[in-house]
Amino acid sequence: MHTLLLSASDPITPPTAANLIMNGQLVAIPTETVYGLGANGLDEEAVARIFEAKGRPQDNPLILHISGPEQMELFCHHIPQKAYDLAEKFWPGPLTIVLPARDIVPKRTTGGLSTVAVRCPDNAVTREIIRLSGVPIAAPSANISGKPSTTTAEHVLHDHDGKIAAVVDGGPCRVGVESTIVDLTEKRPRLLRPGGIGPEELIAVLGDLVVDKAVTAQIDKDEVVKAPGMKYRHYAPSEPVVIVSGSREAAARYIHAHFEPGDRVLCFEEELPLYAGCDPLSYGQEADVNTLSAGLFAALRELDDPKIHQVYARCPVGGGVAYAVQNRLKKAAAFHIVDAEAEL
Ligand code: TXA
Ligand code: MG
């Protein structure tokens, strides 16, 4: 199959992409978080193609991308006021809400669950594609399952060229990490995945938030969890990653003491001079966490190289989107963290 590369700024792109979606094809779509691998979320066969292309476990549900909050009622029922409050404040934007699913949503989309995740992305072209196709677009991050997510059209082509109908190129993603997922199907709102909207911002609207265990710790593959996706190995380059925490100086001392040829250092731009000779790779500035979230996955993809033995990674501290960067790096490192201060 020849994969079409469609420019988001070309007026023919939304109708072309929408036609492909209506015909059951796979189209990669840009969003403000990461590129999604989209298909008609109401068409079982189209959705099955997503799982096949990604090599994704069947029990891992997909997010339905909708063009506005008014579409929530089409696919969800028993919608609490809190869902409308969140939608009003954060949509279009990097927030996904889990709600009870209507029967119209196929079990293949929900991974067999009775709930469904919905999100209205902050990308005008993608919302236009959803609107023109007349269906919600089911879209996981467009990476091969387990690998770092896709934040450019080139990343998508690297993983899927020749296997999908089209990629809509909307340039690099602004946020760079996936949406925050909040589950509103229980008494208390539950954070299933940190993302572009920080936990503090959610609490300001909800007044309450339980952080799911899968956010902070490694989950056993046989455990029953609220977000099935959280138990799988994720975002990982081919070699082991270890996070080195602590002050800049302590971390540099630890890394220099343990560095061997074939290792790499993933650090902040401000730290590059400390690692001359260690082939360091910067993913953004510590002083501007938005550059770190925007650059993380491209850096992890660059480090996905069998020739590399081990990666020493530096991780930002703090809340907001830094909380999501910490979560993705910890998952990439399988929660392997050393405290450089304690090791001195
Ligand atoms: O930013 C994003 O959310 C991107 C873009 C493309 O929108 N999408 C994305 O999809 O990250 P994916 O499939 O890579 O991650 C979706 C996560 C998975 O961990 C999945 O288990 C969880 O959402 N999820 C989906 N539906 C769910 C549900 N009904 N209940 C609990 N978790 C759900
Ligand atoms: Mg993903």
Side-chain angles (χ1 to χ4, degrees):
M1 174 187 295
H2 172 68
T3 301
L4 293 172
L5 184 60
L6 306 170
S7 166
S9 57
D10 187 338
I12 202 76
T13 288
T16 308
N19 263 322
L20 290 168
I21 294 285
M22 285 186 284
N23 285 325
Q25 301 290 310
L26 299 185
V27 178
I29 47 172
T31 81
E32 77 284 23
T33 59
V34 301
Y35 276 74
L37 188 57
N40 177 352
L42 303 182
D43 176 346
E44 299 238 9
E45 278 175 34
V47 167
R49 289 196 187 103
I50 297 180
F51 284 89
E52 194 185 331
K54 272 184 67 93
R56 181 177 176 105
Q58 299 285 340
D59 70 345
N60 194 359
L62 306 175
I63 296 171
L64 281 186
H65 293 72
I66 57 180
S67 59
E70 67 288 347
Q71 290 204 317
M72 266 195 295
E73 278 123 44
L74 300 174
F75 312 112
C76 310
H77 62 88
H78 287 87
I79 304 174
Q81 183 54 41
K82 284 185 164 92
Y84 294 102
D85 297 345
L86 288 176
E88 160 91 25
K89 176 97 177 124
F90 299 114
W91 281 359
L95 179 72
T96 295
I97 307 175
V98 175
L99 293 164
R102 287 197 184 276
D103 289 343
I104 187 179
V105 184
K107 287 285 185 228
R108 246 191 219 276
T109 301
T110 66
L113 299 176
S114 59
T115 58
V116 64
V118 288
R119 148 165 142 84
C120 176
D122 186 14
N123 182 296
V125 171
T126 288
R127 284 200 308 278
E128 180 68 357
I129 296 169
I130 299 167
R131 209 183 54 75
L132 291 175
S133 61
V135 292
I137 297 187
S141 52
N143 52 286
I144 298 287
S145 219
K147 289 296 177 186
S149 304
T150 40
T151 54
T152 66
E154 290 73 32
H155 293 163
V156 179
L157 286 174
H158 174 274
D159 287 13
H160 297 293
D161 196 11
K163 294 190 296 174
I164 64 176
V167 181
V168 177
D169 186 354
C173 299
R174 172 173 61 80
V175 178
V177 291
E178 302 88 339
S179 61
T180 302
I181 305 180
V182 60
D183 181 345
L184 294 183
T185 63
E186 292 179 349
K187 241 200 182 109
R188 298 181 65 192
R190 180 179 287 267
L191 179 69
L192 300 184
R193 179 176 73 181
I197 304 293
E200 311 80 358
E201 292 176 89
L202 290 180
I203 291 169
V205 174
L206 298 170
D208 179 32
L209 188 67
V210 182
V211 176
D212 196 73
K213 186 178 161 204
V215 173
T216 51
Q218 181 83 52
I219 297 293
D220 192 81
K221 68 174 181 4
D222 298 324
E223 248 175 274
V224 176
V225 287
K226 288 295 284 186
M230 300 301 271
K231 68 186 177 195
Y232 296 108
R233 188 161 186 256
H234 246 110
Y235 316 117
S238 50
E239 66 286 350
V241 176
V242 53
I243 295 174
V244 182
S245 70
S247 72
R248 216 168 253 184
E249 295 70 29
R253 244 173 293 158
Y254 178 90
I255 292 171
H256 280 289
H258 292 82
F259 190 89
E260 288 179 13
D263 293 345
R264 294 288 302 266
V265 177
L266 177 65
C267 64
F268 311 128
E269 202 176 303
E270 295 93 327
E271 296 180 325
L272 285 173
L274 289 173
Y275 297 106
C278 299
D279 204 3
L281 176 67
S282 142
Y283 63 109
Q285 296 152 26
E286 187 176 24
D288 180 358
V289 69
N290 294 321
T291 63
L292 293 173
S293 68
L296 179 66
F297 284 132
L300 287 175
R301 291 178 78 89
E302 190 174 330
L303 293 172
D304 183 25
D305 176 351
K307 291 197 287 298
I308 300 173
H309 295 163
Q310 154 133 341
V311 172
Y312 294 99
R314 295 283 289 150
C315 184
V317 294
V321 77
Y323 190 56
V325 173
Q326 289 152 22
N327 171 264
R328 304 305 190 273
L329 260 180
K330 284 179 187 169
K331 295 216 165 248
F335 291 87
H336 184 188
I337 304 165
V338 297
D339 177 0
E341 315 264 352
E343 296 282 326
L344 291 177

